[in-house]
Amino acid sequence: MSTSTAALLAGLVLLFPLAGSALCGLLGPVLGRRFVNLAGTLSIGAAFAVTLVIFVLVLGAASGHQSVTATLWNWLNLGGGNLNVSVDVTIDQLSVLMLLVITGVGLLIHVYSVGYMEHDDGVARFFSYMNFFIFSMALLVLAANLVILIIGWAAVALSSYLLIGFWYERESAVLAARKAFITQVIGDVALVIAAFLIFVNLKNAASVCTPTPSTTCSIQLALSQNLHTLSLPQIFANAISLGRGSPLITLICILLAVAAFAKSAQFPLHTWLPDAMEGPTPVSALIHAATMVTAGVYLIARFHALFDLAPIASGMVACVGMGTALMAGFIALSQVDIKRVIAYSTMSQIGLMIFAVGIGAYAAGMYQFLLHAFFKALLFLAAGNVIHAVHDEQDIREMGGLDSRMRITAWSFLVGSLALAGFLFAGMFSKEDLLGFGLINGPGSPALYIVGIAVNVLTGLYAFRLYGRVFRGEPQSDAARNAHEARAVMLWPVVILAGLSAVAGWALQWPVSFGPHLINAFLNPVFTSAGSGPIAKEPGTGLGLIGFFIGLICSLIGIGLALRIWVRRDLNPAPALARPGLRLLPRLSFRKLYFDELYDALLVRPTRALARGLRRVGDPVMDSWIKGLSDVATDFSAAFRSAQTGLIRDYASYMVLFVLIFTIAVMVAAGIAK
Amino acid sequence: MLSQAMFPWILLTAGFLFTLGALGVLIRRNPLVVFMCIELMLNAVNLALVGYSSFLSSEEGQVFAFMVIVVAAAEVVVGLGLLTRVFSIGRELDVDDLDEMKR
Amino acid sequence: MNALLAAVLILIAISALGVVFSPQTIYSALSLVLTVGLLAVVFLVLNAQFLFAVQLIVYAGAVMVLFVFIIALLDPASEERPRITDPRLALGVLAIAGICTAVFIAARNGITYATSCTTQATTCMHGYAVGSLAATGALGADPYSTFGFPQNAVNQAGNVQVLANQLFHTYVLPFEITSLLLLVAAIGAVYLTRRTRTGIRRDPRIPESWSDDLMERAEPPVPTAPAGAGAPVAEARR
């Protein structure tokens, strides 16, 4: 693919959603709902079509030439070439995979939204924001330039704020949107600082050998002057100049990781994700399941060249990811809001993805991302159908028995839950894939692997708890009793996603040595580049196979337990949990491990106290100072005001007086001049 | 024949008339009298203009004096109309009483 | 001629004093009429015949008549004696003294004398010189060229023609603007002195004149029988 083609196609992918956003936002209120539905969905459809074209071209390109960087236009050129920012895009397997998910799943969700928002008056605003989100996310994954990346990153945070707070008349929604945005700003700051550090410290590097998976390289650094470049390909090519394992590169990678954690809702910046469920369900499906929260994973994957050189940072990333997965799974067990359960599930699954990219299994992590996008969006959309059906009730304790009333949704949800838990569908492939990596060659690998299979158990548990409470058993409320299936426009995306979840895993990649390995074949070229370290060893035989089965068994344990407790109702964990040691666990889980309270005490209250104190000190000073200034002006003018008596005679006397003075002065001056 | 030596006296008279009119504006309280003093000042200016015109042998002074007369006539019309209106609504004809143009 | 001019100037000063210091308004007006008439005489002496006529016709004949009418209409018997202790009086007298001195000294010392009578030893005002010389034919074919009259004028030009030439050639723009000013004054006079009729139903779309607002402020509105949308209008005092 030539650079001009790449530029054109990338430009179209960016243009269509942006145009859709502008059209819906500006003309939508005027032209009505049908126009908005059409424009909002068609724009994403067009973007998806272009993405397919790009995909075909990338597939068909000769190996080694699959990555293209093109410039759309030169944006800033300041200081005589010192600051040169162009809108650069990179089209390679990684970005096209992300784009496929963004536009494809995005298209399905937009279609779903047509039905979901049919009674909402703000539909024009909704589609405008959604299209803008697609645009920003596309900009983020296409960026080949630090500045464009940061812009896309920030625009995504903005879209998330706009969409979470979509029902802005609800105070809880506004607060949640604010919380999300503020937390993500922390990540933004980290990203910007990392960008600064890279920009200042990157130097030119020439290597003498090409690394392969089995040999390391002795790289000779030809340290010329600093490469002040913003271009990502150049950064990655010269990443070795930052030093292997040096404090500098560790710091940079830690900052990048912080940014990723903020965006992907990992510990400790995870508190915003559950609250973000205040937004409409399609928003949760798109942003908080399929795309935005995976931007952190993408960031680390994209910057793999740097992370390969900083094993400490990668190790930290892996630990945080797996820790978050465990924590989120634990919390999901006790939540009663259907969307929050799915939100914590997202947090947990993304933890697994972060773990994967932390240990260097980038392709496995992206595989998990792909499949997770399918089944998580599916779960959210199906949950949206359920919420609609029970008249906006989100508490699972009020549901039940919906499988006979909403057959299609129930079956799709079952497929999704199986995919999530990792049995038969999707998750079985991607999760075991990455856990296998963890077993073999991650830092502290056996420990993390064990945590990973514990996560499997938890996942099976909470997934089928949710399924059992919502769809099985007896209806717990009148709304549940009278529920009926959703409309066609809201069912088709669910069904399509269910189909994808079911089939994709089987078709794309098996975590064992036999079967298809399409993902690895597609993505590995991206993650092997001159100057980066050796790629993680692929599992598949021997220890890997054993690991696969252990993981699968743990998933089944979780599923089985859940089925017995919540579906067949012949096992009750309550007595076991009432024992003194375990009594704390349910409360810890329900209170989300008290993180919100912790942050409130540590951060919010001191800041407020500080603000109050400063105000008490500063207000009198500022008031007196500024008031003093204004008082001076007022008194001054009051003095002059006394001259305005309103009597003509007074005004005339002023005139006469000054004419007299003036005449004498002119006379004297003329006399002196003469 | 009029001699050059008379010219300063013409100017002096004009100046005297002007300042006398100004004095009248200052000390009289009846607006009609004030108005008449203003007319006196305008006439003083006219006198000076015509004096200069004759003395410097240029008729531009007379043209300007003509304009002054026209403007004075227009101003008298409007001013007396205003005063009539003020009187007809019952206000006192006293400049110290008509003092609304103030802070 | 000099003696005549001096006498007239003295009379002007005296009648101006009468304008300013008369207790009765009507006497002030009459003094002003006298002043204006005497000024016309001065114009004539200064060889400004057109202005002499205009001054008498417009100023003495129209403006002052208007003044006298209005005084007779409004308060013919008004009287007023200015206070001697008024500080403004002191300021005014000071101004008179100062400015008159300044003007006289400037006139005496600062003004260059124009070209004198060419053929005579005595110096005189230029207009006279030209006129007298033209009568004798000593200035050639165009004796009034010094007044800015076109070179090829055949007739003996008079003051009116000279002024008209300037007025309609060089100063035509101020002339037209002044006529516009007169129009505006006429409209203003009509507007200011119209009477708003009382007790008639007023169309609320027509904005109330400012004078109605002023009238309401002067006297509390007298409630008339409701005649429609109009606000109650106070009776004008006659």
Side-chain angles (χ1 to χ4, degrees), chain C residues 59-79:
Chain C
Y59 235 116
V63 172
M64 291 319 302
V65 169
L66 189 59
F67 259 112
V68 172
F69 271 178
I70 297 296
I71 293 172
L73 189 66
L74 296 188
D75 54 345
S78 70
E79 230 179 87

Side-chain angles (χ1 to χ4, degrees), chain B residues 59 63, chain C residues 144 147-149 157-167:
Chain B
E59 71 289 348
V63 172
Chain C
Y144 289 95
F147 281 103
F149 210 71
N159 186 252
V160 178
Q161 285 88 333
V162 168
L163 273 188
N165 177 52
Q166 287 297 305
L167 209 52

Side-chain angles (χ1 to χ4, degrees), chain C residues 199-223:
Chain C
I200 304 288
R201 183 206 310 262
R202 298 196 63 232
D203 187 343
R205 288 172 301 178
I206 299 176
E208 289 186 358
S209 106
W210 61 271
S211 57
D212 293 322
D213 174 57
L214 211 54
M215 287 157 84
E216 279 175 41
R217 273 207 296 156
E219 282 181 285
V222 176

Side-chain angles (χ1 to χ4, degrees), chain A residues 138-469:
Chain A
L139 189 66
L140 173 61
V141 303
L142 282 172
N145 185 310
L146 274 178
V147 173
I148 305 297
L149 178 73
I150 292 175
I151 292 177
W153 193 267
V156 169
L158 172 68
S159 318
S160 135
Y161 168 80
L162 289 172
L163 282 164
I164 296 175
F166 179 72
W167 287 313
Y168 55 82
E169 280 126 3
R170 271 223 292 251
E171 184 183 358
S172 53
V174 172
L175 290 176
R178 224 184 274 169
K179 185 175 181 181
F181 193 73
I182 293 177
T183 315
Q184 289 182 37
V185 165
I186 299 176
D188 286 354
V189 170
L191 181 63
V192 169
I193 295 180
F196 287 161
L197 285 173
I198 294 176
F199 186 74
V200 169
N201 290 307
L202 192 72
K203 298 181 175 59
N204 207 339
S207 67
V208 293
C209 70
T210 318
T212 69
S214 54
T215 60
T216 55
C217 247
S218 59
I219 311 262
Q220 294 182 349
L221 296 170
L223 292 169
S224 55
Q225 82 282 9
N226 279 358
L227 260 187
H228 284 159
T229 177
L230 292 167
S231 151
L232 289 181
Q234 274 192 309
I235 293 176
F236 298 148
N238 293 299
I240 188 69
S241 69
L242 293 168
R244 186 187 290 274
S246 66
L248 174 66
I249 202 168
T250 308
L251 176 65
I252 292 177
C253 289
I254 289 180
L255 286 170
L256 288 172
V258 168
F261 294 158
K263 192 69 80 183
S264 296
Q266 299 298 294
F267 171 87
L269 298 165
H270 63 279
T271 47
W272 63 271
L273 187 58
D275 289 10
M277 297 300 117
E278 293 283 341
T281 308
V283 169
S284 307
L286 182 61
I287 296 187
H288 305 125
T291 40
M292 183 181 102
V293 290
T294 52
V297 181
Y298 168 76
L299 185 73
I300 300 182
R302 180 58 85 190
F303 278 79
H304 67 91
L306 275 76
F307 278 93
D308 283 339
L309 296 171
I312 302 178
S314 312
M316 178 203 75
V317 168
C319 293
V320 168
M322 193 50 91
T324 311
L326 184 66
M327 174 190 85
F330 177 62
I331 298 179
L333 272 179
S334 68
Q335 297 298 310
V336 294
D337 184 332
I338 184 174
K339 284 174 71 174
R340 277 189 166 73
V341 174
I342 307 180
Y344 279 106
S345 157
T346 304
M347 207 189 288
S348 172
Q349 297 297 300
I350 293 177
L352 290 179
M353 289 181 226
I354 299 268
F355 162 74
V357 296
I359 61 173
Y362 302 107
M366 297 313 292
Y367 185 37
Q368 165 78 339
F369 152 75
L370 177 66
L371 297 181
H372 173 263
F374 292 151
F375 63 72
K376 198 44 65 70
L378 161 65
L379 285 175
F380 264 115
L381 293 186
N385 280 351
V386 167
I387 295 172
H388 241 194
V390 296
H391 302 299
D392 294 329
E393 177 58 68
Q394 293 184 255
D395 192 332
I396 59 177
R397 296 173 293 195
E398 304 287 329
M399 303 174 188
L402 291 178
D403 65 341
S404 50
R405 293 164 175 81
M406 302 175 68
R407 284 196 182 280
I408 302 182
T409 304
W411 273 103
S412 309
F413 202 90
L414 181 61
V415 170
S417 302
L418 282 173
L420 172 60
F423 177 66
L424 273 193
F425 305 126
M428 182 167 81
F429 303 95
S430 59
K431 271 200 301 185
E432 307 313 327
D433 201 9
L434 55 94
L435 282 180
F437 271 97
L439 181 59
I440 292 177
N441 46 23
S445 16
L448 287 178
Y449 176 75
I450 292 172
V451 176
I453 56 177
V455 172
N456 267 358
V457 175
L458 286 176
T459 310
L461 259 179
Y462 69 68
F464 277 86
R465 166 178 176 259
L466 190 64
Y467 176 73
R469 288 290 279 256

Side-chain angles (χ1 to χ4, degrees), chain B residues 56-69:
Chain B
L56 295 179
S57 67
S58 161
E59 71 289 348
E60 290 174 346
Q62 294 176 34
V63 172
F64 196 51
F66 178 66
M67 299 294 180
V68 170
I69 294 180

